[in-house]
Each structure stands twice: as C-alpha cells, then as structure tokens.
Amino acid sequence: DANIESFDNMKINLEEQGYDLAQVPYVVQYNKRDLPNVVPAQAMNRIINIDGVPDFEAVATHGVGVFETLKAIVKLVLIELKRGA
C-alpha cells in the first residue's frame, strides 16, 4: 500500500509541475527484494507499472539491479533527448 501511495504522490507532484508521467521516460525498480514476505514483483507490476515501462528487481545494499536500472533510464532519457533535438 505504501508503494502505491508513493507512486500516486509522484504522479500528482509531476502533474503539479506540468508533467504527464505517460510522457516522461521512467523505469520502475522494486527494491529490497531480499526482505522476507515481499509482495511478488509481478503482482506489484500489475498495479504500479500501468505504462509497461522497464521494471527491475533490486537489492540496493548489495548492488543487485542498481546498474541495470540506471542503464535503462539513461537509455530512455537519451532516446527522448534525440527525439527533441
């Protein structure tokens, strides 16, 4: 529930700044996957990842999934910058 609330708050904050999340490059990272009793990423993806953007599971304290997430968002931003040029 906290993840959904945070995601919704992010969308509201973006809208207040004049941005539409569907028009902004982004990825979803499911962090802390090493904790017990985590909700499966697939279940969270159905609720949070409504635009079908790239998603990654991560354990940031061990560096798992961090570089992959960064690489994916950088790629999307570069593609978007090329479109605008």
Side-chain angles (χ1 to χ4, degrees):
D1 290 338
N3 289 307
I4 295 167
E5 183 179 351
S6 292
F7 192 78
D8 288 341
N9 286 337
M10 179 190 66
K11 289 191 289 187
I12 291 167
N13 290 334
L14 284 171
E15 289 169 5
E16 288 174 354
Q17 298 299 316
Y19 295 100
D20 175 8
L21 184 61
Q23 304 301 316
V24 175
Y26 75 99
V27 299
V28 175
Q29 182 185 77
Y30 301 108
N31 192 23
K32 301 186 180 188
R33 303 312 296 170
D34 58 330
L35 297 181
N37 303 320
V38 294
V39 175
Q42 296 87 350
M44 292 180 62
N45 220 20
R46 284 192 296 272
I47 297 167
I48 292 176
N49 194 357
I50 57 174
D51 293 317
V53 298
D55 63 279
F56 302 88
E57 295 188 57
V59 180
T61 56
H62 294 101
V64 175
V66 175
F67 181 72
E68 294 83 358
T69 304
L70 176 62
K71 184 176 167 182
I73 190 57
V74 167
K75 181 179 177 181
L76 291 176
V77 168
L78 289 174
I79 290 168
E80 187 64 25
L81 289 172
K82 284 182 182 181
R83 282 188 204 161

